């Protein structure tokens, strides 16, 4: 019977060691979980800060794009005005050149030129 008692004692000791190992593992898991929770909180805070910066940059960029769009619209209007002016000036100069050519032709005829 002594051997049964020794075997039972040995089994109890093994079970106690297993229990203690499980407790230690659970304690380590709780520490890891706590550390990870803290890291996740820090990461979330950084993500929130990044999102805030991105939103501020998006707003600033939108404002600047609106300004560029306004300037481009104004420049397009000025370009149309300049193009019309140049076209009108070219037509007027063409008319003047035609008139001068006619006058030169008449002068050449009187002078007996070419």
């Amino acid at each position: 019977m002594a051997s049964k008692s020794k075997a039972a004692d040995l089994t109890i000791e093994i079970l106690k060691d297993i229990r203690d190992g499980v407790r230690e593992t659970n304690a380590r898991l709780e520490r890891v979980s706590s550390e990870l929770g803290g890291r996740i909180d820090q990461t979330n805070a950084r993500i929130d800060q990044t999102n805030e910066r991105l939103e501020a940059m998006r707003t600033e960029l939108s404002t600047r794009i609106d300004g560029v769009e306004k300037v481009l619209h104004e420049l397009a209007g000025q370009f149309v005005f300049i193009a019309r002016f140049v076209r009108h000036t070219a037509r007027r100069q063409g008319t003047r050149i035609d008139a001068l050519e006619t006058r030169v032709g008449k002068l050449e005829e009187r002078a007996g030129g070419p």
Side-chain angles (χ1 to χ4, degrees):
M1 237 191 42
S3 69
K4 283 187 178 183
S5 173
K6 283 184 181 181
D9 288 345
L10 182 60
T11 301
I12 290 172
E13 287 303 314
I14 291 171
L15 289 174
K16 286 180 182 179
D17 287 343
I18 292 172
R19 179 195 64 202
D20 292 343
V22 168
R23 286 181 179 162
E24 289 174 14
T25 300
N26 285 342
R28 283 192 306 240
L29 285 174
E30 286 179 26
R31 282 193 307 273
V32 168
S33 177
S34 176
E35 289 173 10
L36 287 177
R39 287 181 181 181
I40 289 171
D41 291 342
Q42 290 172 351
T43 301
N44 286 340
R46 286 193 304 253
I47 288 172
D48 290 342
Q49 290 172 349
T50 301
N51 286 340
E52 289 172 8
R53 287 194 310 262
L54 285 173
E55 181 60 27
M57 287 190 316
R58 187 199 64 76
T59 301
E60 177 67 22
L61 183 59
S62 178
T63 301
R64 288 183 181 200
I65 287 173
D66 289 345
V68 169
E69 184 179 11
K70 181 180 177 184
V71 168
L72 288 175
H73 183 70
E74 290 173 4
L75 287 174
Q78 291 175 6
F79 177 76
V80 169
F81 174 77
I82 290 170
R84 287 179 182 162
F85 175 77
V86 168
R87 192 175 320 127
H88 173 71
T89 303
R91 285 184 191 147
R92 196 174 81 218
Q93 295 299 327
T95 303
R96 292 177 70 193
I97 290 171
D98 290 343
L100 287 173
E101 286 176 345
T102 302
R103 289 174 59 194
V104 168
K106 288 180 183 178
L107 288 172
E108 286 176 343
E109 285 177 13
R110 279 194 228 159

